[in-house]
Amino acid sequence: GSNAPICHGAGSDKSTLSDLVAEIEFVDANGSLQKISDAEQLKSASGAFGYLGVVTAVTLRLDPMRYALFDPFKERVALTIPPPDNTSDIIGYRDIGDDLTQDLSGADLAAAKEAFNKACQDNYYTEYFWFPFQKKAWGNTWKAVPAEQVAGKDIEYVYPSKWEIKVQRALAFIAGKILNSKLFNLLP
């Protein structure tokens, strides 16, 4: 499913999930079982959007086992996803751009660009979310740590904290009680 449409990056050193394909097996339009493992042919075949035929197997090259340490953050949009230098050339940017960068100095934006680039380069995976009309954006980063560095050690979790885990469990318990109540089930 996620391989055929060349979906999602798989980390800072792999551009898409399709780049991890070592071999693909499929039934072609003539009903013949085919296998491709040649690196040059895989560049086209591994993300062929279903045009090869019916894919029956995909073999992936996987990285060694690592732990992904998750570190979410929330910051002003312009500091999370810094605007490009040529914002005056972007049609329509001034309609929202001035509001997003209001009260920020050139030094603030330069530091934000440096932090953005560093997050993209230093983390295994980084993603950003911004919702229209919101002044803040969310960023999630995952730093890959070799398994042998954390095996048998107590890892300090940044998110969710132990308190947040307890709150989530309590809310899930309460939601379950409400959803399974006779009164709730009487609602249309």
Side-chain angles (χ1 to χ4, degrees), residues 7-181:
C7 196
H8 284 285
S12 58
D13 58 344
K14 310 255 184 326
S15 56
T16 69
L17 183 62
S18 299
D19 294 322
L20 300 174
V21 175
E23 183 177 85
I24 190 164
E25 179 185 277
F26 62 97
V27 176
D28 67 15
N30 297 320
S32 300
L33 184 66
Q34 305 285 333
K35 285 186 183 183
I36 297 175
S37 58
D38 176 71
E40 281 301 308
Q41 292 177 353
L42 280 171
K43 288 179 183 179
S44 298
S46 63
F49 293 92
Y51 291 119
L52 282 176
V54 178
V55 175
T56 56
V58 175
T59 303
L60 300 175
R61 282 184 306 278
L62 300 178
D63 295 333
M65 174 64 184
R66 295 186 278 181
Y67 284 85
L69 302 181
F70 179 53
D71 188 14
F73 59 93
K74 187 175 179 182
E75 183 59 81
R76 285 181 61 178
V77 172
L79 297 176
T80 303
I81 309 164
D85 292 329
N86 63 340
T87 54
S88 61
D89 299 338
I90 300 172
I91 297 173
Y93 185 84
R94 275 177 264 138
D95 297 340
I96 61 164
D98 292 341
D99 187 43
L100 296 176
T101 58
Q102 186 177 356
D103 302 325
L104 293 175
S105 69
D108 292 333
L109 292 172
K113 287 178 188 176
E114 186 176 328
F116 178 84
N117 290 332
K118 185 170 175 41
C120 292
Q121 292 169 357
D122 293 351
N123 290 293
Y124 181 75
Y125 189 78
T126 306
E127 64 185 8
Y128 298 92
F129 299 95
W130 174 70
F131 300 97
F133 310 111
Q134 301 299 308
K135 295 200 182 290
K136 293 196 173 187
W138 290 263
N140 296 321
T141 63
W142 286 265
K143 187 166 289 295
V145 179
E148 58 272 6
Q149 286 185 12
V150 293
K153 295 180 183 172
D154 195 19
I155 301 171
E156 179 184 340
Y157 291 97
V158 178
Y159 177 85
S161 69
K162 290 180 180 180
W163 169 250
E164 289 169 315
I165 291 171
K166 288 178 182 177
V167 168
Q168 288 173 5
R169 285 182 180 159
L171 291 173
F173 174 80
I174 292 168
K177 290 294 184 185
I178 292 170
L179 291 173
N180 292 315
S181 70

